[in-house]
Amino acid sequence: SVIPEAVESMTLGSRIKLLLADGKRTCPDIAHSLGAKEDMVRLTLNRGRDKGFVKLGESWGLLTIS
């Protein structure tokens, strides 16, 4: 498991990826879970579409290639 201190030093995008590894979530849920501002989470998700973030209806998830 990840050490909490290590998570705190990660970028917001990396923290979101770690959270979404467990499944899709809405933007407000991501913001609440990470203690981040919702507008910053939304901005990070939209900018990260080329890095694997995908919007699924009202939720966000990670693109996986099998």
Side-chain angles (χ1 to χ4, degrees), residues 21-56:
D22 289 333
K24 65 181 183 173
R25 294 177 180 243
T26 63
C27 188
D29 182 45
I30 294 167
H32 177 75
S33 295
L34 298 179
K37 293 184 178 182
E38 190 175 333
D39 59 340
M40 291 303 299
V41 169
R42 185 171 281 107
L43 183 66
T44 302
L45 289 166
N46 282 310
R47 286 184 175 170
R49 286 180 187 246
D50 61 338
K51 297 176 183 152
F53 295 132
V54 291
K55 189 161 187 186
L56 310 160

